[in-house]
């Protein structure tokens, strides 16, 4: 996520945690794939090197396979029917972004039974390489969430990373269930507001019963309104859609860039079609080595860590501007006071309602990136005194606290996270975990029950299991900051270990979600040396975050 409208890239899964990772800050040196102590010491030395020194003499060809694997190459194990593979993409300027070309392709509802059920339509886009004479190939990028649109993102990447935009055709798509593609449908806007209403911290029997009923209603509405498409809105099916797109582009191989949830899409694609991967960058990583439930068990901790250790001290250091307390303790006390007041008397201004859940949601959204901390701080000044607040502060509060997620986003979000991997279905377990998380990690732990009860009530069976190993893949480059609230560092380490042969760039001094493209020259040099120079780091690296003024 790149702004306070935080549903654009990041995962918003907030579910319970009884065995959360330690809240101790991660080690400031990059994690290694299992190796001897000598490798660890080399990485510690790398932490103090500037970007140029980090790169010098530490690279291997990016397309070299990590280790020989005599096993069967699984790619193209299931041949798609000709009616799909012989399509022609009818490119036209995109209606919402003339710098891109857009087209649609048809894919089977179920790639494992291509003749069963109605087809789905996938919207795709393309930004032509700016320097055709130096074109390296096609770079596909996907969006996060799950639930965010990826159709127009190639234009943004080409602008933000002009060297990459010059060398690659950058292509994108709306994954099945999203945006301009065949969409998932679960709730009306009114039902969506009911789902997020109230105070998720309330542990009274009536409040718990209401939350569980709303979650069960959401799951049932997804089945009713999405119909027999619902079981096939998952990451494994999306990986097959990508390979169809690759074939229709006439490419033997793709390079791939995947931030946030798109890291899981990339890991699945690389597992199912490893011989179709030229290069792969996974930025801010989902714990794709396990289940969604396991991954989401750690998120209450990581969001609370980001709020308590990064945002709260930042706000306390700016008491002269925002008047919310000069110490972290004062800021925390003020937060609890304002939240309790909103529980008793929500702010209602026209169609805008700001209650305790909306306050939490706005904070969750704003702490994805440090550059949006001032937005949250400004909005909090309006919550302090709504009637007397500055109009600009009230407008910011309306955007931040009143526009969190959407019914369309959550329809795809729950479809993918509930479909991909198995969930615990015992509701008493989630009630207990919800109470524990509310007490320990209140910012997002309070909504543990509401979100996890949807998947506990999900009406379809899990998708086929995909075990990520890294077999047959070239070196994969992974990026992650140490205080990322959504794709937390501990999960990235597990994903890194599972994706054998991958190289992890740990970004220290940062909790931002999404590391490329940014102003961090160390990260930029590593990524662009890999994408443009065909050179991958020989080992894991550390990139410190430049200190803001």
């Amino acid at each position: 996520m790149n702004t306070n409208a935080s549903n654009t890239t990041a995962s918003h899964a907030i579910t319970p945690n009884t065995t959360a990772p330690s809240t101790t800050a991660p080690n400031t040196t990059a994690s290694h794939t299992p190796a001897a102590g000598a490798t660890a010491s080399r990485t510690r030395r790398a932490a103090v090197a500037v970007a140029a020194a980090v790169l010098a003499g530490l690279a291997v060809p990016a397309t070299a396979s990590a280790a020989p694997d005599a096993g069967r190459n699984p790619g193209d194990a299931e041949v798609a029917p000709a009616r799909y593979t012989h399509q022609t993409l009818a490119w036209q300027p995109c209606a919402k972004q003339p710098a891109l070309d857009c087209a649609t392709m048809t894919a089977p509802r179920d790639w494992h039974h291509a003749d069963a059920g109605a087809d789905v339509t996938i919207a795709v886009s393309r930004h032509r390489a700016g320097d055709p004479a130096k074109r390296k190939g096609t770079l596909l990028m996907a969006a996060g969430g799950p639930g965010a649109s990826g159709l127009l993102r190639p234009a943004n990447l080409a602008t933000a990373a002009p060297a990459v935009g010059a060398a690659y055709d950058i292509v994108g798509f709306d994954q099945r269930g999203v945006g301009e593609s065949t969409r998932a449908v679960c709730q009306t806007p009114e039902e969506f507001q009911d789902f997020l209403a109230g105070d998720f911290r309330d542990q009274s029997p009536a409040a718990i019963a209401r939350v569980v009923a709303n979650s069960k209603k959401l799951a049932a509405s997804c089945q009713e309104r999405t119909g027999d498409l619902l079981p096939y809105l998952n990451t494994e099916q999306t990986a097959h859609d990508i390979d169809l797109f690759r074939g229709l582009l006439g490419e033997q191989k793709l390079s791939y860039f995947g931030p946030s949830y798109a890291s899981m899409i990339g890991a699945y694609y690389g597992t199912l079609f490893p011989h179709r991967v030229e290069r792969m960058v996974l930025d801010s990583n989902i714990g794709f080595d396990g289940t969604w439930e396991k991954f989401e068990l750690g998120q209450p901790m990581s969001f609370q860590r980001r709020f308590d250790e990064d945002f709260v001290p930042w706000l306390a250091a700016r008491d002269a501007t925002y008047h919310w307390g000069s110490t972290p303790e004062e800021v925390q006390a003020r937060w609890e006071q304002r939240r309790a007041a909103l529980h008793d008397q929500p702010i209602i201004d026209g169609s805008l309602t700001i209650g305790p859940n909306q306050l939490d949601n706005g904070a969750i959204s704003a702490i994805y990136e440090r550059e949006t901390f001032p937005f949250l701080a400004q909005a909090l000044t309006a919550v302090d005194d709504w009637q007397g607040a500055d109009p600009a502060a009230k407008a910011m509060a309306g955007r931040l606290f009143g526009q969190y997620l959407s019914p369309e986003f959550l329809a795809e979000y729950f479809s993918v996270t509930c479909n991909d991997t198995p969930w615990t279905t015992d509701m008493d377990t989630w009630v207990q975990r919800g109470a524990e998380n509310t007490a320990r990690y209140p910012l997002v732990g309070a909504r543990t029950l509401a979100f996890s009860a949807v998947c506990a009530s999900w009406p379809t069976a899990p998708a086929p299991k995909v075990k990520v190993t890294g077999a047959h893949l070239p070196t994969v480059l992974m990026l992650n900051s140490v205080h990322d609230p959504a794709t937390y560092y501990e999960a990235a380490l597990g994903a890194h270990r599972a994706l054998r042969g991958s190289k992890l760039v740990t970004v220290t001094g940062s909790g931002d979600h999404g590391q490329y493209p940014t102003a961090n020259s160390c990260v930029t040099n590593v990524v662009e040396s890999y994408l443009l120079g065909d050179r991958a780091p020989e080992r894991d690296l550390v990139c410190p975050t430049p200190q803001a003024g």
Side-chain angles (χ1 to χ4, degrees), residues 218-512:
L218 193 159
S221 70
C222 291
Q223 184 176 42
E224 176 185 352
R225 295 167 184 171
T226 302
D228 61 2
L229 172 63
L230 190 64
Y232 310 111
L233 298 176
N234 60 61
T235 307
E236 191 256 0
Q237 295 281 344
T238 293
H240 286 273
D241 295 339
I242 288 175
D243 202 59
L244 173 64
F245 187 21
R246 173 203 57 76
L248 298 181
L249 289 169
E251 297 284 8
Q252 289 297 310
K253 293 188 175 186
L254 289 173
S255 292
Y256 182 88
F257 173 60
S260 194
Y261 162 62
S263 66
M264 184 168 177
I265 297 176
Y268 273 38
Y269 181 71
T271 298
L272 297 173
F273 302 96
H275 64 307
R276 299 301 189 185
V277 176
E278 188 76 32
R279 304 165 191 88
M280 181 173 285
V281 179
L282 306 181
D283 182 355
S284 303
N285 294 268
I286 296 289
F288 49 70
D289 56 315
T291 65
W292 276 105
E293 180 177 312
K294 176 186 175 183
F295 171 69
E296 294 178 11
L297 287 173
Q299 285 190 308
M301 174 279 297
S302 57
F303 274 95
Q304 197 70 47
R305 176 173 62 193
R306 174 67 160 167
F307 184 76
D308 291 349
E309 298 183 19
D310 293 351
F311 174 71
V312 168
W314 179 94
L315 185 57
R318 290 156 180 81
D319 183 49
T321 300
Y322 300 109
H323 311 295
W324 252 65
S326 60
T327 67
E329 293 77 15
E330 291 178 355
V331 171
Q332 292 278 16
R334 185 73 163 268
W335 172 270
E336 292 300 323
Q337 291 166 1
R338 297 315 306 161
R339 195 183 187 285
L342 292 172
H343 174 92
D344 296 335
Q345 187 174 353
I347 293 171
I348 300 176
D349 190 345
S351 61
L352 174 67
T353 297
I354 305 176
N357 285 349
Q358 286 73 36
L359 186 73
D360 290 345
N361 293 341
I364 292 165
S365 174
I367 61 177
Y368 275 80
E369 294 188 2
R370 185 182 176 92
E371 69 179 22
T372 56
F373 284 7
F375 300 162
L376 177 56
Q378 182 185 27
L380 290 176
T381 66
V383 172
D384 256 351
D385 177 17
W386 188 257
Q387 296 304 320
D390 176 76
K394 292 175 72 170
M396 178 60 69
R399 289 195 296 272
L400 193 59
F401 301 129
Q403 300 179 13
Y404 180 70
L405 300 182
S406 69
E408 295 78 16
F409 182 93
L410 278 187
E412 174 73 358
Y413 171 79
F414 282 120
S415 295
V416 172
T417 58
C418 299
N419 275 332
D420 267 356
T421 53
W423 281 78
T424 298
T425 58
D426 177 57
M427 201 62 70
D428 289 341
T429 298
W430 292 116
V431 171
Q432 179 182 353
R433 288 174 172 173
E436 293 169 352
N437 281 352
T438 298
R440 189 175 184 187
Y441 307 117
L443 180 63
V444 296
R447 72 187 199 186
T448 289
L449 179 60
F451 275 58
S452 55
V454 176
C455 289
S457 307
W458 200 248
T460 65
K465 180 177 176 59
V466 177
K467 182 177 176 59
V468 175
T469 66
H472 307 289
L473 279 171
T475 301
V476 174
L477 187 63
M478 301 176 68
L479 316 172
N480 228 92
S481 73
V482 293
H483 270 197
D484 189 319
T487 53
Y488 51 94
Y489 186 63
E490 294 86 343
L493 296 181
H496 174 40
R497 288 190 292 267
L499 195 58
R500 295 194 299 269
S502 62
K503 306 303 175 191
L504 176 64
V505 179
T506 296
V507 182
T508 58
S510 173
D512 282 4

Side-chain angles (χ1 to χ4, degrees), residues 513-525:
H513 181 73
Q515 298 305 310
Y516 180 83
T518 66
N520 189 321
S521 60
C522 175
V523 173
T524 298
N525 289 342

Side-chain angles (χ1 to χ4, degrees), residues 94-163:
C94 296
K96 297 180 181 179
Q97 176 50 271
L100 298 176
D101 294 326
C102 282
T104 58
M105 69 181 193
T106 300
R109 178 165 299 216
D110 177 8
W111 275 98
H112 304 293
H113 302 91
D115 294 324
D119 290 337
V120 298
T121 298
I122 308 296
V124 298
S125 63
R126 176 183 66 186
H127 184 281
R128 287 288 201 180
D131 188 349
K134 297 181 180 178
R135 181 181 179 275
K136 292 185 67 65
T138 294
L139 177 71
L140 183 141
M141 63 182 303
S149 170
L151 190 65
L152 304 183
R153 292 176 183 240
N156 298 334
L157 181 60
T159 299

Side-chain angles (χ1 to χ4, degrees), residues 58-73:
L58 299 181
V60 295
T63 55
S65 180
D69 191 321
R72 179 182 64 84
N73 190 323

